[in-house]
Amino acid sequence: MTYPGAQATYRLADALFLIGHDEFTGKPHVAVDRLECGLAGAALAELMFEGRIALDGGGIAAVDPRLWQEPLTDLLITEILRREGAHPARLWIRYLRTQLNINERVGTRLVTAGVLRREQGKLIGRQVRWPATDPNQAASPRVRLTAMLMHSSPAELDPGTLLLASLAEAVGLAAHIFDPQVGARMRDCRRFLPAQLDGLLAAVVGALDASTTTVRR
């Protein structure tokens, strides 16, 4: 499922990545580990929308093994196929974060598309930044999501938009970059998610809780 912007069409993880970063500075609006959990869920959701994987009883299993010539999702389906059987979505989210570097891979997909630039900090430990080549274009997923939430009730939204709003709210973006009224609408979206997408969101929330616990320790 894709999301039209001012001059482009974005996949779900791309839209969340753009919403999660300042279009001018390229800095994330929330902690990177939180955004990574959301991006991992969004990337898995792309495969679910395409009918390539399914979530059953909390476990993710491949349904359609064909490659679609899209580097990121083809990599994910290949990894899922390598591990036969269904494995918990929460474990896949952690794997995408810690082993596949999902933030870097989604950012690179947007660089390849000409939407962002990748800027490496010169000092050791300095965070990578992802400024936009066209700030208006990069802001379009946030603008579109805001407009849809303000002009439609959650019950009227498509599953992809519901999940995008729910993921953005779960990782903390609602409180940082959205108006409180929009944030309230975002919190309502989860109630209208189809069962499989709600299960995926629950796995993201579980991964977020585990990440927070690890940091506190």
Side-chain angles (χ1 to χ4, degrees), residues 51-211:
R52 301 166 76 184
I53 64 172
L55 180 65
D56 185 16
I60 285 178
V63 175
D64 184 346
R66 292 176 296 176
L67 302 183
W68 286 29
Q69 307 307 310
E70 196 294 301
L72 176 53
T73 52
D74 283 353
L75 172 64
L76 299 189
I77 195 69
T78 300
E79 290 291 315
I80 291 169
L81 287 167
R82 284 201 313 124
R83 292 161 177 79
E84 298 180 358
H87 300 279
R90 182 170 162 181
L91 293 183
W92 276 113
I93 290 167
R94 185 174 67 184
Y95 181 76
L96 266 59
R97 283 190 57 235
T98 61
Q99 302 300 315
L100 291 190
N101 197 354
I102 189 66
N103 190 71
E104 179 77 19
R105 292 185 183 278
V106 177
T108 298
R109 185 163 70 177
L110 286 162
V111 170
T112 301
V115 179
L116 302 178
R117 302 189 311 275
R118 186 185 188 280
E119 295 184 354
Q120 177 69 55
K122 295 181 180 180
L123 300 178
I124 296 177
R126 183 64 62 87
Q127 196 173 67
V128 174
R129 297 184 182 184
W130 305 90
T133 56
D134 179 348
N136 289 329
Q137 181 181 348
S140 62
R142 182 180 73 246
V143 173
R144 178 178 182 272
L145 181 59
T146 298
M148 294 190 72
L149 289 169
M150 291 303 296
H151 295 102
S152 303
S153 70
E156 299 172 310
L157 298 176
D158 63 274
T161 300
L162 288 170
L163 183 59
L164 178 60
S166 297
L167 288 170
E169 196 279 330
V171 302
L173 290 169
H176 282 78
I177 61 172
F178 289 93
D179 178 273
Q181 186 177 0
V182 176
R185 294 283 183 94
M186 295 171 85
R187 287 188 290 276
D188 287 340
C189 286
R190 181 171 184 175
R191 295 191 296 115
F192 297 90
L193 282 174
Q196 283 204 22
L197 296 183
D198 184 62
L200 181 61
L201 181 64
V204 170
V205 172
L208 285 165
D209 290 343
S211 175

